[in-house]
Amino acid sequence: MAEIKIYSAVVCPFAHRSRLVLQEKGIDFDLVEIDLQNKPEGFTDVSPYGKVPAITHGDKRVWESAVINEYLDEVFPHPPLLPITAIGKAQARVWIDFANTRFVPAFSNLLRSPEPQKQEESKQELYKHLAFIENEGLGKLSGEGPYWFGESISLVDFTFFPWFERWAALKNYRGFGIPSEFTRIRQWKHALKERPSVKAIAHSKEFYIERYAKFATPVAV
Ligand SMILES: N[C@@H](CCC(=O)N[C@@H](CS)C(=O)NCC(=O)O)C(=O)O
């Protein structure tokens, strides 16, 4: 039995974040795939919010992807996935917060909203967030390197990437690809896709298009 057990669901981008960190660090883990429509009894003993991801580490439990990722980075420090300076760490946490409070909700609203007016608003919101990432994030922090903070991959890259791997669903159901003017974002996405840890657990565009159909095209009642 591995030291770490992760409770995950293959379609979940939040769980994908923590699985990427486990892959990148080469941590031995047991994977427990949770059927979110039919959660196993006792699941909330491990994950009190009833959500994935959650991990156990011996008799300890951690939930919430951003918190899990920082925990894993502290307990398994090689390779480090946060910058070493105080300001670098602060910047990383600002971007992780941006992902959670702004970027992910806009992505999710666009994909899930059945109303054209709401979709249009979400498209504009998401476009604004992409421009912010392009100019204020990658434009100022990544320099000549391929990742968010340049040469070294970090928790920030793994925090955003799952939504970019799923972008084909947004393009397919909402006609919103990553606009061509965001060249840094496109290069960043390409670099991430080539990373062995990312490749090891990647799924195809078709996989996401099929899995997201039920969110993007709700059945009329
Ligand atoms: N803030 C949480 C979000 C996790 C989350 O929303 N997970 C979804 C799947 S993608 C879930 O488990 N949903 C089941 C439910 O809410 O019942 C995190 O970052 O870990």
Side-chain angles (χ1 to χ4, degrees):
M1 202 172 91
E3 213 182 334
I4 295 281
K5 194 182 262 190
I6 179 160
Y7 296 78
S8 178
V10 73
V11 77
C12 176
F14 299 96
H16 192 179
R17 286 175 167 174
S18 297
R19 292 206 47 209
L20 287 169
V21 171
L22 291 168
Q23 282 305 130
E24 184 67 32
K25 286 178 176 279
I27 300 167
D28 189 25
F29 63 92
D30 288 331
L31 177 67
V32 184
E33 180 72 17
I34 298 294
D35 177 353
L36 294 171
Q37 310 312 318
N38 185 20
K39 295 175 194 165
E41 219 183 298
F43 179 52
T44 51
D45 295 342
V46 178
S47 178
Y49 300 165
K51 292 179 187 280
V52 292
I55 62 163
T56 57
H57 182 201
D59 59 2
K60 298 179 278 292
R61 309 172 298 167
V62 187
W63 59 96
E64 283 295 320
S65 59
V67 181
I68 292 171
N69 287 357
E70 285 218 31
Y71 176 81
L72 292 173
D73 196 42
E74 273 198 49
V75 176
F76 302 92
H78 302 293
L81 293 177
L82 276 177
I84 48 170
T85 63
I87 188 63
K89 284 194 182 71
Q91 283 168 336
R93 290 178 179 131
V94 163
W95 283 106
I96 291 167
D97 178 73
F98 174 83
N100 290 342
T101 59
R102 294 162 194 259
F103 175 78
V104 168
F107 184 108
S108 190
N109 289 341
L110 177 52
L111 189 67
R112 287 167 184 254
S113 177
E115 285 175 46
Q117 174 64 26
K118 286 248 161 59
Q119 287 176 14
E120 199 42 51
E121 285 165 18
S122 304
K123 246 180 223 177
Q124 285 173 22
E125 186 75 8
L126 195 53
Y127 184 92
K128 195 180 76 183
H129 294 333
L130 287 174
F132 192 66
I133 291 172
E134 177 82 9
N135 300 317
E136 195 63 33
L138 298 173
K140 291 195 179 160
L141 300 172
S142 73
E144 295 305 307
Y147 304 119
W148 211 278
F149 288 111
E151 292 304 324
S152 303
I153 199 153
S154 74
L155 293 185
V156 178
D157 298 290
F158 291 139
T159 295
F160 281 93
F161 184 73
W163 282 265
F164 286 89
E165 191 174 287
R166 286 156 178 75
W167 209 281
L170 219 46
K171 190 169 178 189
N172 185 71
Y173 294 112
R174 299 293 179 253
F176 187 69
I178 298 170
S180 56
E181 61 269 33
F182 296 137
T183 52
R184 279 186 174 266
I185 293 180
R186 292 163 77 100
Q187 284 161 11
W188 168 85
K189 182 181 174 188
H190 183 72
L192 263 287
K193 271 174 72 180
E194 293 304 309
R195 188 96 185 164
S197 58
V198 173
K199 277 188 168 173
I201 55 171
H203 288 287
S204 67
K205 291 178 178 180
E206 294 73 28
F207 173 87
Y208 290 115
I209 290 170
E210 196 240 299
R211 289 299 186 101
Y212 277 85
K214 64 174 181 289
F215 303 117
T217 50
V219 183
V221 282

